[in-house]
Amino acid sequence: MSEQYEYVPHRLLRRRVRDIASGTEGELMAVINENVSDCPSYECWMELAYIRNASGREFTTAVANVQPAYDQPQTTRTRRDLGSA
């Protein structure tokens, strides 16, 4: 694979986002238009989102899979939370 890429502006950079493919949440660190082809005679460009999760590790996903994470992760709900005693 060649080392060809370019940074792309995105409205959610440095914001909390969710990867809808995996359900993982984190901070959107970068969006990069990258040549993902392993053949030098053929280029295949794809926009990849780099997301840093809570543990500090970054992972990639397609930009189309990124959505804002407005809500906090839900914890386990008890009967008391549901209003039945």
Side-chain angles (χ1 to χ4, degrees):
M1 182 169 82
S2 66
E3 297 296 324
Q4 296 180 15
Y5 61 91
E6 61 185 5
Y7 287 90
V8 178
H10 195 277
R11 65 183 179 88
L12 296 174
L13 279 174
R14 299 291 183 187
R15 302 237 172 123
R16 187 163 179 80
V17 295
R18 177 180 295 117
D19 171 24
I20 59 173
S22 67
T24 307
E25 293 185 6
E27 183 179 350
L28 182 62
M29 303 306 292
V31 175
I32 297 178
N33 191 19
E34 188 171 339
N35 181 7
V36 295
S37 175
D38 59 354
C39 178
S41 63
Y42 177 75
E43 292 184 353
C44 181
W45 291 85
M46 182 175 180
E47 285 191 355
L48 296 174
Y50 285 76
I51 300 173
R52 181 176 295 162
N53 63 17
S55 70
R57 288 194 156 187
E58 289 188 11
F59 64 95
T60 60
T61 189
V63 173
N65 291 341
V66 175
Q67 68 180 17
Y70 294 118
D71 56 338
Q72 295 297 317
Q74 289 189 359
T75 58
T76 306
R77 298 179 79 183
T78 62
R79 295 176 96 193
R80 179 179 291 171
D81 295 334
L82 299 174
S84 59

